[in-house]
Amino acid sequence: MKPFVTHTGIAAPLLRRNIDTDAIIPSREMKRVSKRGLGEGLFAGWRYTLPGSRELNPSFVLNRPEYAGASILLALDNFGCGSSREHAVWALAEYGVRAVIASGFGAIFHTNCIRNGILPVRLDEISITALAEQVQRDPQSNPVTIDLQTCLIQCGDLLWPFSLDESARHQLLNGLDPIALTLQHRRAIDVYEQARRKQRTWVYAPLEDSVEGVPL
């Protein structure tokens, strides 16, 4: 997983409440079993003119030229609510979103972000509105910088502090998905496995000493 230390990018304001995971990636766009190929379906219901089409809706924020290359989303309360589908985060990641700044998140979506290298930042609604106003003056000339080491957001001369659970911050700063996080304890796991082998030798009996898995 790619670490998140600092990121500077174009921020796109999608200032709506209760953007659920079906809006982020509609179920009809989930045609694959892997993480890949979902970015095209991101916000498909808003991004394209008709369901199933790929004709861009010119009024949707991510299709507007001034927000080309956006890698940060600004939203209001309860972003990522609804279904627990992890595909929503996978679609955001494949599109190139590195952070979502919102006044609130769906709990499972928030966890899925951390596990997939996307930084979810909670700011109050007044701060998000002020940040959006600053960006909207000229999005390409007003990039947003997020520093996870200092927990600061900067746009122009304006700064906003934020906080994040320390374990989540550790995961993102070091690019640790749940498997990598577990493997940090490899030595303890090996010690446990070795002790278990000694205590329950019959579990680990070679196949030649058993018949259909039953020890002789």
Side-chain angles (χ1 to χ4, degrees), residues 105-207:
F105 292 92
I108 295 174
F109 176 86
H110 187 274
T111 300
N112 286 339
C113 279
I114 304 240
R115 291 176 172 175
N116 288 278
I118 292 179
L119 173 62
V121 177
R122 283 192 181 92
L123 282 186
D124 63 82
E125 199 165 311
I126 292 174
S127 297
I128 291 172
T129 302
L131 177 55
E133 288 174 353
Q134 176 74 8
V135 167
Q136 286 169 332
R137 293 174 185 170
D138 184 352
Q140 296 290 329
S141 300
N142 287 305
V144 173
T145 296
I146 307 173
D147 188 332
L148 186 54
Q149 290 181 311
T150 58
C151 288
L152 284 174
I153 297 171
Q154 182 171 11
C155 184
D157 296 330
L158 301 177
L159 284 172
W160 291 269
F162 66 94
S163 62
L164 187 68
D165 174 81
E166 192 54 38
S167 64
R169 187 167 166 271
H170 173 76
Q171 276 186 255
L172 286 167
L173 282 171
N174 294 283
L176 299 171
D177 64 18
I179 293 175
L181 202 60
T182 300
L183 290 178
Q184 284 193 311
H185 304 284
R186 187 193 298 268
R187 183 174 176 79
I189 293 170
D190 288 344
V191 169
Y192 170 81
E193 290 291 345
Q194 289 168 14
R196 182 178 166 82
R197 280 177 178 274
K198 291 178 181 176
Q199 292 168 355
R200 296 177 172 82
T201 54
W202 58 272
V203 174
Y204 300 93
L207 289 177

Side-chain angles (χ1 to χ4, degrees), residues 6-121:
T6 62
H7 176 73
T8 298
I10 307 302
L14 195 55
L15 300 183
R16 308 183 190 193
R17 294 182 178 82
N18 303 315
I19 296 176
D20 63 24
T21 50
D22 196 54
I24 297 171
I25 181 76
S27 56
R28 65 175 178 275
E29 298 288 341
M30 294 160 48
K31 301 172 183 173
R32 299 173 175 83
V33 294
S34 76
K35 296 181 179 181
R36 298 181 180 177
L38 295 167
E40 191 180 356
L42 180 71
F43 296 121
W46 298 336
R47 194 168 150 206
Y48 304 113
T49 55
L50 294 170
S53 85
R54 288 296 182 260
E55 181 183 356
L56 295 177
N57 171 7
S59 65
F60 183 59
V61 63
L62 292 180
N63 295 336
R64 291 163 53 185
E66 61 268 38
Y67 293 105
S71 57
I72 299 169
L73 290 182
L74 307 178
L76 298 180
D77 194 31
N78 211 20
F79 188 89
C81 60
S83 159
S84 61
R85 66 187 69 164
E86 196 169 5
H87 303 69
V89 173
W90 296 343
L92 287 165
E94 188 171 89
Y95 184 84
V97 172
R98 294 288 284 136
V100 181
I101 302 173
S103 49
F105 292 92
I108 295 174
F109 176 86
H110 187 274
T111 300
N112 286 339
C113 279
I114 304 240
R115 291 176 172 175
N116 288 278
I118 292 179
L119 173 62
V121 177

